[in-house]
Amino acid sequence: MAVTPQLIKELREMTSAGMMDCKKALEATDGNIDEAVVWLRENGLAKAAKKADRVAAEGVSFAKTNGKRAVVFEVNSETDFVSKNDKFMALIENIGSALLDSSASTLEEALEVKLASGQTISEACVEATATIGEKIELRRIAAVEGGKLSIYNHANNRISVLLGFEGDINDEDAYNVCMHVAAMAPKYLSEQDVPQEFKDQELHIIKETTDLTGKPENVAEGILKGKLNKKLAEVTLLAQGFVMDEKQTVGNFIKSKGATLTNMFRFEVGEGIEKVTTDFAAEVAAQLAGN
């Protein structure tokens, strides 16, 4: 059967694959569109497998809630261009809805959650990798159930916050705390959550950078302790000055509303991933060459 533009158009609409890939698939299957779909899937999965070792440090962070359960998750891509792709953003919405309807709380559980299409999230990411042409992967997820839930998604979908409260804090106040977390990026909820390793490391840096010459031992210890406490206040949410009212800490603000903060998750796209610097012109040339 002849491969016509109409057949190529029909296959593209069915699979969202590129025009040239559709043409190759139809040529390889003598114009049989059903076999061409299978051909595309098999070859797409093969291409996706080749991309498995690539570094994906861009993408989207997204939080979603239905009032009873809230989730925040990060889906990575290789470039930030993909985060503006309609198909990619539709995948994000589908993943968010599926995670919200599930009981998944770990990455392993989340990858096995099924979308409305019947695919697992893992399978959908592999298919998106084949279709979009970049490595797409669900990197992490956090979920909270019960209590007062509040979420915040920054406008560019690079930062998302999920907070869980107990008490009577209202929506506006909870949302303002979310925005504080997004802006100030606290590493820990309270001092009790700070690992001893972090405290030891900071104390070592303070000792190396503080001139204590001639100071009595008790005075020197007081100076070091004061500087360490100041550092811990910078990295713990409840001790930070509240951006909406710097006269009080976040902890005191929440307490004044008759509430306590039980869960804090802040996801920023790509944090902790070692990014690879690439030559953009060379990358485009490689893609045009079919690599």
Side-chain angles (χ1 to χ4, degrees), residues 83-123:
S83 63
K84 301 174 180 66
N85 181 296
D86 290 342
K87 290 186 175 63
F88 180 76
M89 291 310 299
L91 175 63
I92 297 300
E93 284 288 348
N94 291 338
I95 288 176
S97 296
L99 290 175
L100 206 55
D101 291 338
S102 76
S103 59
S105 59
T106 67
L107 178 60
E108 291 74 18
E109 292 171 347
L111 289 170
E112 296 305 313
V113 170
K114 288 191 176 182
L115 304 179
S117 65
Q119 287 181 308
T120 64
I121 290 176
S122 178
E123 291 168 342

Side-chain angles (χ1 to χ4, degrees), residues 1 10 34 39 42 44 83-84 160 177 212 219 224 252 256 259:
M1 184 186 295
E10 186 178 346
D34 293 329
W39 187 95
E42 290 176 346
S83 63
K84 301 174 180 66
S160 294
V177 178
L212 299 173
V219 174
L224 294 175
N252 286 338
S256 73

Side-chain angles (χ1 to χ4, degrees), residues 7 19 44 122 146 150 203 205 213 230 240 242 247 274 289:
L7 268 179
M19 184 181 297
S122 178
S150 186
L203 184 58
I205 293 172
T213 305
K230 183 179 179 181
Q240 289 181 337
F242 188 32
K247 293 180 181 179
E274 185 175 349

Side-chain angles (χ1 to χ4, degrees), residues 54-86:
R54 294 189 184 181
V55 175
E58 298 295 338
V60 162
S61 177
F62 196 65
K64 196 175 179 74
T65 183
N66 57 15
K68 296 180 179 180
R69 172 177 163 89
V71 294
V72 59
F73 60 96
E74 179 183 354
V75 177
N76 292 135
S77 59
E78 293 177 53
T79 69
D80 60 355
F81 297 109
V82 171
S83 63
K84 301 174 180 66
N85 181 296
D86 290 342

Side-chain angles (χ1 to χ4, degrees), residues 18-19 28 32 85 118 120 128 163 171 177 179 198 200 204 210 214 218 237 247 280:
M19 184 181 297
N32 186 309
N85 181 296
T120 64
L163 301 180
D171 290 343
V177 178
M179 289 197 294
F198 180 91
D200 293 341
H204 174 74
T210 303
N218 64 323
L237 173 62
K247 293 180 181 179
F280 182 70

Side-chain angles (χ1 to χ4, degrees), residues 225-238:
K225 184 177 180 180
K227 288 196 171 189
L228 178 60
N229 288 340
K230 183 179 179 181
K231 179 62 180 179
L232 294 178
E234 291 175 358
V235 299
T236 55
L237 173 62
L238 298 183

